[in-house]
């Protein structure tokens, strides 16, 4: 047992009462939402398509946030540039692109899961069979692996605080998260994520406040932290220079390319983000929810976490050059993954019950992940495997029972996986980028290229996890420069999927026609689009106008996301002039994005009116934006 494990919290009866009240409250919320969630299988899986935009935004960011301690650790190890490598270069690209293109396409499709897309986009027995396989693969190959990774992170963070064995931590708090998700379905998972997010955000902010009290000012924390690391560590804007090697020029290029494709990632645009878009009230709620998610994910959730990273650097000097261990006040060392735990131990006794609140905050972040993954993964098994192939005519309640059984099975498997992860470090980048790299090109190919077929889809999906695991762990790709395994895996997926599609027959004209009429994708659909226009079913002029506005909105959205990110990063290190410059650019680009999106939405609304009326819409018809309350 490490020394850290001996430095657990001395929780009082008040602390334990707080933890107990929190746990009971979460289960109570699950019971509350269970009545609405269990009226039908679709109610349990996608909440009867009733999610408003603000719930979509908060639910999505909660799924990305874990307990918050992981991000404190990443910042402690590598500063802003490590964050850039993990997410803050690729994410400001894919997140607005999903808001502009994919959110509305998902909502237009009217599907229940992303797996259902396979049989909607492709045709024949191969598509039907592969949809069932995809349902199992997405649940147990993706969602359960993500859950296992999050569970391992929880045990790393929480076991030392409580002095419990990791299995005990997982068993108790995993059971609570599973319980309310089993009860409440998507509605429960989405709405309960909101108080969960508030709990861990507020607790992290309180720890930062106590740190400022100890040092006298935030400036004093920053000054102390900067003396602990060299100047290159504090670099904000990529590419890296000097001793900072996280985002060299080639890695910057690779991450930008990955960002273009992450809309098809199961841990990004095609994961729970897509599921919440499918569950949105309408297209506008889907798009606005995703753009709110951009702001919450890139900036808001990090507001207390990056200052806590600075506090950790100021309090606990790195004991080695790679920052994998920290020096404790008594002269002993511990793994750097423990920095969040050390902060909790240091400040837990400042207010009666605060230790319990901090434990609840760690658990809240984890339960967001549990609820999201269990609900997301089980929906594939029910909708794409059981309901499609095993018992299509079974009663609705039977489908809900199957979903709940699947959730329990996922939690058991994730626990076994978590206990087998001895070093969380290599898993961080593997989970967030490498594991799904071969499948990323599917995000563009299936939507924007009519010639793409089921065999290209099958290749990209089936090879993703085994090929990535082989390159990352067997060939030790984790020790290569970041851009090499990333572009290798992405290239194999892209070339293989395109080649196989060209060597095999195209999808049927009827399937492509039906898909296009419902989704109206941009891209290489010339033959299909022209035929439909000749039949008077679509207006090519409206399609071109919508594309133009979408392209403008995409550029403005990407600029907006990058500038809010770097305005915040600059503010963290008190570079106010640079922060102000980025903030002004963010305001301008954000306004331009909204106007461009509104123009696109007006054009799309005209197309919808034409489709509903059976004739072309007139230019005098108008689209009126109703911001949901």
């Amino acid at each position: 047992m490490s020394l850290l494990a001996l430095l657990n919290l001395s929780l009082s009866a008040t602390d334990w009462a707080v933890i107990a009240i929190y746990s009971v409250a979460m289960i109570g919320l699950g019971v509350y939402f269970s009545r609405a969630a269990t009226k039908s299988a679709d109610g349990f899986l996608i909440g009867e398509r009733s999610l408003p935009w603000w719930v979509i935004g908060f639910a999505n960011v909660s799924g990305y946030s874990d307990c918050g301690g992981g991000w404190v650790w990443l910042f402690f190890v590598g500063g802003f540039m490590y964050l850039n490598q993990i997410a803050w270069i690729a994410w400001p690209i894919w997140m607005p692109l999903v808001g502009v293109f994919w959110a509305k396409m998902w909502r237009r499709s009217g599907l229940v899961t992303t797996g259902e897309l396979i049989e909607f986009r492709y045709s024949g027995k191969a598509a039907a069979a592969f949809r069932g396989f995809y349902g199992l693969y997405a649940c147990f190959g993706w969602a359960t692996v993500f859950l296992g990774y999050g569970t391992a992170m929880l045990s790393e963070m929480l076991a030392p605080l409580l002095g419990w064995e990791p299995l005990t931590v997982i068993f108790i708090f995993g059971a609570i998260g599973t319980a309310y998700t089993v009860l409440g379905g998507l509605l429960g998972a989405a709405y309960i994520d909101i108080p969960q997010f508030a709990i861990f955000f507020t607790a992290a902010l309180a720890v930062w406040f106590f740190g400022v009290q100890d040092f006298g000012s935030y400036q004093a924390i920053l000054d102390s932290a900067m003396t602990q690391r060299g100047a290159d560590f504090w670099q904000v804007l990529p590419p890296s220079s000097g001793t900072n090697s996280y985002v060299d020029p080639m890695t910057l290029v690779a991450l930008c390319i990955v960002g273009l494709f992450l809309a098809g990632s199961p841990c990004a645009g095609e994961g729970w983000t897509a599921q919440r878009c499918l569950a949105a009230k309408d297209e506008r709620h889907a798009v606005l929810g995703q753009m709110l998610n951009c702001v919450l994910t890139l900036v808001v959730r990090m507001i207390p976490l990056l200052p806590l990273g600075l506090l950790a650097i100021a309090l606990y000097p790195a004991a080695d050059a790679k920052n994998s261990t920290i020096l404790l006040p008594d002269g002993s060392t511990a793994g750097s993954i423990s920095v969040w735990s050390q902060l909790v131990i240091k400040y837990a006794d400042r207010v009666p019950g605060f230790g319990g609140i901090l434990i609840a905050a760690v658990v809240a972040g984890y339960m967001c992940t549990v609820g999201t993954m269990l609900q997301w993964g089980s929906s594939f098994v029910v909708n794409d495997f059981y309901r499609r192939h095993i018992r299509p005519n079974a009663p609705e309640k039977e489908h809900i029972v199957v979903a709940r059984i699947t959730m329990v099975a996922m939690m058991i498997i994730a626990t076994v996986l978590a206990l087998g992860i001895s070093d969380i470090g290599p898993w961080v980048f593997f989970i967030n980028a490498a594991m799904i790299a071969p499948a990323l090109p599917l995000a563009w190919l299936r939507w924007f290229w009519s010639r793409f077929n089921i065999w290209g889809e099958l290749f990209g999906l089936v090879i993703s996890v085994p090929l990535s695991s082989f390159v990352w762990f067997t060939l030790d790709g984790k020790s290569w420069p970041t851009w090499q395994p990333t572009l290798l895996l992405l290239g194999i997926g892209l070339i293989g999927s395109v080649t196989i599609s060209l060597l095999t027959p195209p999808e049927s004209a009827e399937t492509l026609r039906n898909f296009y009429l419902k989704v109206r994708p941009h891209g290489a659909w010339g033959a299909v689009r022209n035929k439909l226009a000749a039949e008077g079913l679509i207006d090519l002029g409206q399609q071109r106008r919508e594309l133009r506005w979408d392209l403008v909105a995409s550029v403005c959205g990407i600029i907006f996301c990058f500038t809010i990110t770097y305005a915040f990063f600059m503010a963290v290190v008190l570079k106010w002039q640079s922060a102000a410059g980025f903030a002004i650019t963010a305001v301008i680009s954000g306004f331009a994005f909204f106007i461009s999106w509104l123009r696109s939405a007006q054009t799309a609304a005209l197309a919808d009116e034409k489709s509903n009326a059976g004739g072309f819409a007139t230019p005098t018809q108008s689209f009126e934006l109703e911001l949901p309350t």
Side-chain angles (χ1 to χ4, degrees), residues 349-608:
D349 61 353
R350 293 300 175 93
V351 177
F354 189 55
I357 293 173
L358 291 176
I359 296 298
V362 175
V363 175
Y366 169 66
M367 286 189 183
C368 292
T369 301
V370 171
T372 297
M373 296 305 155
L374 291 181
Q375 204 284 324
W376 177 54
S378 65
S379 68
F380 288 112
V381 172
V382 173
N383 191 64
D384 302 308
F385 178 69
Y386 191 82
R387 184 157 65 175
R388 175 62 181 86
H389 292 286
I390 306 301
R391 293 262 293 165
N393 298 318
E396 296 285 293
K397 289 186 177 180
E398 182 176 320
H399 293 145
I400 295 173
V401 170
V402 172
R404 288 170 166 170
I405 293 173
T406 302
M407 291 177 184
V408 174
M410 289 176 64
M411 194 67 230
I412 293 172
I413 296 170
T415 297
V416 174
L417 177 62
L419 295 175
I421 298 177
S422 57
D423 182 7
I424 197 69
W427 282 81
V428 174
F429 196 80
F430 176 72
I431 290 290
N432 286 281
M435 188 179 83
I436 39 73
L440 293 183
L442 304 182
W444 288 66
L445 295 174
R446 63 161 70 111
W447 294 100
F448 304 134
W449 185 35
S450 63
R451 182 60 181 80
F452 193 60
N453 65 16
I454 184 61
W455 305 108
E457 177 93 20
L458 189 151
F459 174 83
L461 285 171
V462 170
I463 69 165
S464 62
V465 174
L467 177 64
S468 300
S469 301
F470 176 74
V471 170
W472 197 252
F473 295 108
T474 304
L475 298 183
D476 198 28
K478 60 183 180 294
S479 65
W480 304 354
T482 303
W483 64 270
Q484 292 182 1
T486 302
L487 293 184
L488 173 65
L489 293 169
L490 189 69
I492 292 174
L494 176 61
I495 294 171
S497 293
V498 169
T499 301
I500 289 174
S501 290
L502 292 174
L503 293 177
T504 50
E507 297 300 327
S508 71
E510 182 181 0
T511 298
L512 297 176
R513 172 192 177 92
N514 292 337
F515 179 83
Y516 189 90
L517 277 174
K518 195 162 190 180
V519 177
R520 301 196 305 274
H522 301 303
W525 287 80
V528 176
R529 187 183 292 118
N530 291 335
K531 188 173 181 179
L532 292 172
E535 295 175 14
L537 296 176
I538 63 171
D539 183 340
L540 292 180
Q542 285 180 339
Q543 301 265 306
R544 286 191 289 268
R545 286 192 294 274
E546 183 180 354
L547 175 59
R548 284 197 295 269
W549 285 116
D550 281 347
L551 291 174
V552 173
S554 296
V555 172
C556 294
I558 291 172
I559 294 172
F560 170 73
C561 288
F562 271 115
T563 50
I564 61 171
T565 293
Y566 293 122
F568 172 57
F569 282 5
M570 291 296 183
V572 168
V573 290
L574 303 183
K575 294 184 177 180
W576 296 116
Q577 187 173 355
S578 297
F582 281 115
I584 292 170
T585 306
V587 171
I588 296 171
S589 58
F591 180 75
F593 165 82
F594 182 78
I595 296 300
S596 303
W597 168 75
L598 188 59
R599 294 291 188 184
S600 173
Q602 290 172 333
T603 305
L606 290 175
D608 288 337

Side-chain angles (χ1 to χ4, degrees), residues 116-257:
E116 193 175 350
L117 174 70
I118 291 172
E119 211 169 357
F120 177 48
R121 171 63 174 81
Y122 311 113
S123 57
K125 294 181 179 179
F130 186 58
R131 176 183 167 187
F133 169 81
Y134 179 88
L136 297 175
Y137 185 78
C139 176
F140 297 106
W142 283 336
T144 306
V145 172
F146 297 151
L147 181 57
Y149 157 73
T151 301
M153 183 73 76
L154 172 82
S155 64
E156 290 270 9
M157 299 290 175
L158 204 54
L161 296 179
L162 298 174
W164 294 357
E165 291 297 321
L167 180 60
T168 305
V169 172
I170 296 168
F171 179 79
I172 293 177
F173 295 113
I176 295 171
T178 303
Y180 77 68
T181 309
V182 163
L183 290 167
L186 180 131
L187 284 175
Y191 277 91
I192 293 172
D193 277 350
I194 298 171
Q196 303 274 39
F197 180 81
I199 289 169
F200 93 77
F201 183 92
T202 304
L205 204 61
V207 173
W208 172 76
F209 172 77
F210 291 133
V212 171
Q213 282 191 321
D214 280 355
F215 277 83
S217 67
Y218 181 70
Q219 180 70 62
I221 295 175
L222 179 63
D223 292 341
S224 178
M226 286 190 164
T227 63
Q228 301 287 349
R229 308 292 173 87
D232 292 339
F233 178 89
W234 301 104
Q235 183 181 352
V236 173
L237 301 177
S240 302
S241 61
T243 59
N244 193 320
S245 60
Y246 284 104
V247 188
D248 57 69
M250 280 301 299
T251 296
L252 176 60
V253 172
L255 291 173
C256 289
I257 294 172

Side-chain angles (χ1 to χ4, degrees), residues 80-99:
F80 297 105
M81 210 54 63
Y82 198 4
L83 295 180
N84 282 328
Q85 183 195 71
I86 296 297
W88 271 260
I89 291 174
W91 286 34
I93 298 173
W94 78 259
M95 297 191 84
L97 288 181
V98 166

